[in-house]
Structure formats: structure tokens, C-alpha cells
């Protein structure tokens, strides 16, 4: 296997990406890393690698007259989930777009890649394996280079009649109520959270027919964050989670009916805990597929959500300079 651990010789950022916006109003649209940048992060979210479930087989399931209403609703959502993926019928093309994006991050001299959930589309092994291969072949491996947190599609298998392995078999990820602190070599504290509800002890009422759309931040996670004050003193903090924390930045759509795409529960307490580490902690999340404006803030916090990758082909670059100032830049993969 050829692993792209370094930037391709002669490649330039413009070969891979378009500049789309920046919190630096003096930006010259140059994507090269500045000399004063001590840490460059990249964020990608909601890749939703397409599944391999045979659609005619799923349609035949409707012929079972003994299914409950919940089972029928679950099946409808599973089929709709498969049909609404932009690259469902062109998976090799999508895989190549992902590879192009991740190789391009080498050209941009990115130190650390953050994946804010929904690696998989249906929560099935072939999807996890595909994304694992994309990360491996482009050199994004190991905790010093890569952070992934689980999304609702990663935790909720839309085809639960099929046995499947959990996400942990393929990726080193945290779980609900068990967050993790990662101190990056450049002296930045990164907190990983799994904001999916505990499906064994705290299932959302809608989970009988929909993915885990409403996240939750548990008190165990809040206590963990508060306990990291000594270990992270003087550091910038980056909070990494999947579910969104606010609702004033995206438009209304069918997903909002009945509160099924409301912000995660426990946000107020989460922000208070985060501010004990860093009053201006950076928050990176996904889940809502709409593109967040690059200069969005929530309270005292910069927040980043580049929208679902197959929908927009967007990513975020986060530069932290030697004065601990943060610049966020939106980039778009040159594709279709």
C-alpha cells in the first residue's frame, strides 16, 4: 500500500482546493501556512460513505405482512437514507474525492485532522472499512495526526436486522459518558466527546424509526471537562463533538419538525464547563448538513461546521498562531 505521508512534489493548494472565506478580513486568499502558525487543524464532517445494501432486497421487506408500524417506519427511513446520497451510484468517484481532499491537506501542511462524525451512512462495516482505507492510504493515522468522534449514523445501524460490529472495531473513538483529553504537541488541549445518547439506558423516543438525531451531553462528560483545568492551564482548548449546539445559523426544513434536529441537550452546562478551560474555546461539530458561515460565534466561542462533505465538498482550516489567536478558513475541494 502506498501511503501519502508527505505532500506530492510540485503540488500547490490551488490544485486541490478553492478558498471560500476566512475570519481574517485581510486574507489574500492564499492557503499556504503562515510562518506564525504553531498548529494547523483541518475539519471534515459527515462524509456518509455510501452503503452496500441491495435496494431491491430492502423493497421486498415491505411484503412482510407481520411488521409493526415501527418496523415499517424504520424500513422507510433506511430506504430513504440510501436513496438520498448524492454519490450512491458512483461510490468510486466519491472515494476518489475523499482521497483528493485528504492528500490535499498534506499540501496545506496540516498537523491534525478532525473528523466530527457520521463517517458511515448506514452504520455498516463496509462503510467503516472504506473510510479506514481512505485514511490509511492518505497517511492520516495515529492519535497524533487524527481525531474522530462518532456521529449518529455511526452509532445507529439503519439495518439492525443485520449483525454488525461497533465503530470501535475500525476507529479509536470515545463513547457516551466517557470523553477523552488529547494534548497536541503544540500545546493545544483537544477534548473529544461522543454526543450520541446512550442507546441502552437513554434511548430517544424517535430511535425506533430514525437515527439518533437529538444529541446529549451527559453530566459525566461535564465533570470530566471540569477536572482537566490543571492539565490544560494556559492552553487553547478545542472541543470536538458531532451534534450541533445552536439553532440560529441554519434555516428551517422538514428535519426540524417535532424537534428531531434540535441542538444537543446540555449545551448551557457544556459551554460553562468549556469556559473553565478556555473562555474562548473553539467548538467544532457536524450533524446539521447546512454550511455554517465562517465567522459564526456562539457566545464567546468560535464554532465551525463545514456541512456534510458529499453535499458541499467543504472543509475548515483552523490556524492557531504563536499568540494563540485563531483564524478559520473555509475551503472547497475542486471536484464536480
Amino acid at each position: 500500500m502506498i501511503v501519502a505521508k508527505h505532500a506530492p512534489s510540485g503540488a500547490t493548494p490551488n490544485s486541490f482546493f478553492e478558498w471560500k472565506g476566512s475570519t481574517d478580513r485581510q486574507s489574500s486568499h492564499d492557503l499556504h501556512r503562515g510562518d506564525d502558525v504553531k498548529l494547523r487543524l483541518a475539519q471534515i464532517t459527515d462524509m456518509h460513505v455510501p452503503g452496500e445494501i441491495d435496494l431491491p432486497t430492502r423493497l421486498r421487506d415491505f411484503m412482510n405482512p407481520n411488521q409493526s408500524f415501527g418496523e415499517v417506519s424504520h424500513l422507510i427511513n433506511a430506504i430513504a437514507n440510501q436513496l438520498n446520497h448524492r454519490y450512491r451510484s458512483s461510490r468510486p468517484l466519491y472515494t476518489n474525492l475523499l482521497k483528493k481532499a485528504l492528500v490535499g491537506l498534506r499540501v496545506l501542511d496540516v498537523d491534525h485532522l478532525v473528523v466530527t462524525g457520521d463517517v458511515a451512512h448506514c452504520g455498516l462495516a463496509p462503510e467503516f472499512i472504506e473510510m479506514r482505507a481512505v485514511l490509511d492510504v492518505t497517511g492520516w493515522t495515529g492519535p497524533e495526526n487524527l481525531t474522530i468522534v462518532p456521529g449518529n449514523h455511526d452509532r445507529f445501524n439503519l439495518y439492525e436486522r443485520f449483525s454488525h460490529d461497533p465503530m470501535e472495531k475500525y476507529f479509536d473513538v470515545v463513547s457516551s459518558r466517557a470523553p477523552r483529553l488529547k494534548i497536541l504537541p503544540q500545546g493545544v488541549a483537544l477534548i473529544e466527546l461522543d454526543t450520541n445518547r446512550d442507546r441502552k439506558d437513554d434511548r430517544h423516543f424517535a430511535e425506533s424509526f430514525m437515527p439518533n438525531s437529538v444529541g446529549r451531553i451527559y453530566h459525566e462528560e461535564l465533570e470530566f471537562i471540569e477536572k482537566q483545568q490543571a492539565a490544560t492551564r494556559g492552553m487553547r482548548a478545542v472541543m470536538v463533538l458531532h451534534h450541533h449546539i445552536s439553532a440560529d445559523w441554519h434555516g428551517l426544513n422538514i428535519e426540524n419538525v417535532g424537534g428531531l434536529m434540535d441542538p444537543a441537550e446540555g449545551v448551557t452546562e457544556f459551554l460553562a464547563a468549556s469556559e473553565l478551560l478556555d473562555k474562548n474555546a473553539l467548538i467544532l461539530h457536524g450533524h446539521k448538513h447546512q454550511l455554517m458561515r465562517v465567522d459564526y460565534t456562539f457566545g464567546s466561542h468560535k464554532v465551525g461546521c463545514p456541512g456534510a462533505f458529499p453535499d458541499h465538498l467543504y472543509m475548515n482550516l483552523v490556524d492557531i498562531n504563536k499568540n494563540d489567536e485563531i483564524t478559520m478558513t473555509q475551503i472547497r475541494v475542486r471536484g464536480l
Side-chain angles (χ1 to χ4, degrees):
M1 178 182 292
I2 300 174
V3 178
K5 291 188 178 296
H6 305 285
S9 177
T12 65
N14 287 342
S15 304
F16 295 87
F17 303 106
E18 303 172 67
W19 182 97
K20 302 304 293 187
S22 176
T23 57
D24 178 6
R25 298 188 181 278
Q26 305 302 317
S27 171
S28 62
H29 299 197
D30 184 1
L31 295 176
H32 288 90
R33 178 171 174 160
D35 293 336
D36 65 336
V37 173
K38 72 173 184 179
L39 177 69
R40 171 167 274 194
L41 302 171
Q43 178 195 10
I44 185 172
T45 196
D46 293 69
M47 290 82 73
H48 287 270
V49 171
E52 292 185 339
I53 294 295
D54 179 47
L55 192 57
T57 300
R58 302 285 66 75
L59 293 172
R60 287 198 297 270
D61 287 344
F62 276 115
M63 304 303 293
N64 182 355
N66 299 317
Q67 294 186 105
S68 67
F69 173 77
E71 289 172 328
V72 171
S73 298
H74 194 278
L75 180 59
I76 290 172
N77 275 279
I79 292 172
N81 183 68
Q82 188 164 354
L83 288 175
N84 69 12
H85 197 294
R86 179 179 177 184
Y87 295 97
R88 181 179 65 86
S89 301
S90 51
R91 180 170 174 167
L93 170 62
Y94 186 54
T95 297
N96 284 334
L97 283 171
L98 283 168
K99 289 178 181 177
K100 179 178 182 177
L102 299 186
V103 170
L105 297 182
R106 298 291 177 191
V107 178
L108 294 179
D109 198 18
V110 169
D111 297 302
H112 197 89
L113 173 63
V114 172
V115 181
T116 46
D118 279 359
V119 166
H121 195 49
C122 300
L124 298 174
E127 301 162 359
F128 290 133
I129 292 170
E130 182 82 1
M131 193 63 211
R132 178 75 269 173
V134 169
L135 290 164
D136 287 348
V137 79
T138 55
W140 292 105
T141 59
E144 70 281 2
N145 297 311
L146 175 68
T147 295
I148 301 177
V149 294
N152 54 305
H153 282 252
D154 301 320
R155 291 297 191 203
F156 186 98
N157 179 0
L158 278 167
Y159 302 94
E160 289 185 319
R161 296 176 183 176
F162 296 83
S163 61
H164 67 287
D165 293 311
M167 188 182 192
E168 280 79 354
K169 180 173 179 180
Y170 309 97
F171 302 99
D172 178 20
V173 293
V174 295
S175 59
S176 294
R177 297 189 170 99
R180 178 165 56 194
L181 167 67
K182 181 183 294 183
I183 297 180
L184 301 181
Q186 297 82 358
V188 173
L190 189 150
I191 299 283
E192 305 169 58
L193 301 172
D194 180 355
T195 50
N196 290 287
R197 301 176 76 101
D198 186 318
R199 300 189 67 242
K200 180 179 179 182
D201 301 322
D202 186 32
R203 288 187 70 149
H204 192 274
F205 76 92
E207 285 200 38
S208 62
F209 57 92
M210 285 188 68
N212 186 359
S213 57
V214 180
R216 181 173 178 180
I217 302 168
Y218 289 99
H219 73 271
E220 291 92 339
E221 296 171 296
L222 300 173
E223 290 176 356
F224 175 86
I225 295 171
E226 293 172 3
K227 290 178 180 177
Q228 308 312 310
Q229 294 179 68
T232 63
R233 186 168 289 114
M235 297 182 184
R236 293 313 314 254
V238 180
M239 320 304 288
V240 180
L241 58 158
H242 177 65
H243 291 84
H244 57 295
I245 62 170
S246 56
D248 62 346
W249 57 276
H250 55 80
L252 297 177
N253 54 36
I254 191 64
E255 292 178 331
N256 299 99
V257 175
L260 295 179
M261 283 293 284
D262 282 348
E265 297 177 14
V267 166
T268 300
E269 296 82 359
F270 164 67
L271 294 177
S274 300
E275 288 166 11
L276 294 176
L277 306 189
D278 180 350
K279 66 179 181 179
N280 302 122
L282 172 67
I283 300 171
L284 301 177
H285 69 69
H287 193 45
K288 283 295 290 184
H289 288 196
Q290 291 166 266
L291 182 67
M292 177 181 282
R293 70 176 190 267
V294 71
D295 61 348
Y296 178 81
T297 59
F298 190 58
S300 62
H301 304 279
K302 283 187 172 68
V303 184
C305 176
F309 186 76
D311 295 349
H312 307 289
L313 301 184
Y314 271 76
M315 304 175 75
N316 280 333
L317 282 181
V318 179
D319 288 329
I320 303 176
N321 69 19
K322 296 173 183 177
N323 295 321
D324 282 332
E325 298 165 330
I326 295 176
T327 299
M328 187 176 296
T329 303
Q330 287 180 341
I331 57 176
R332 188 176 187 272
V333 178
R334 294 188 181 276
L336 300 181

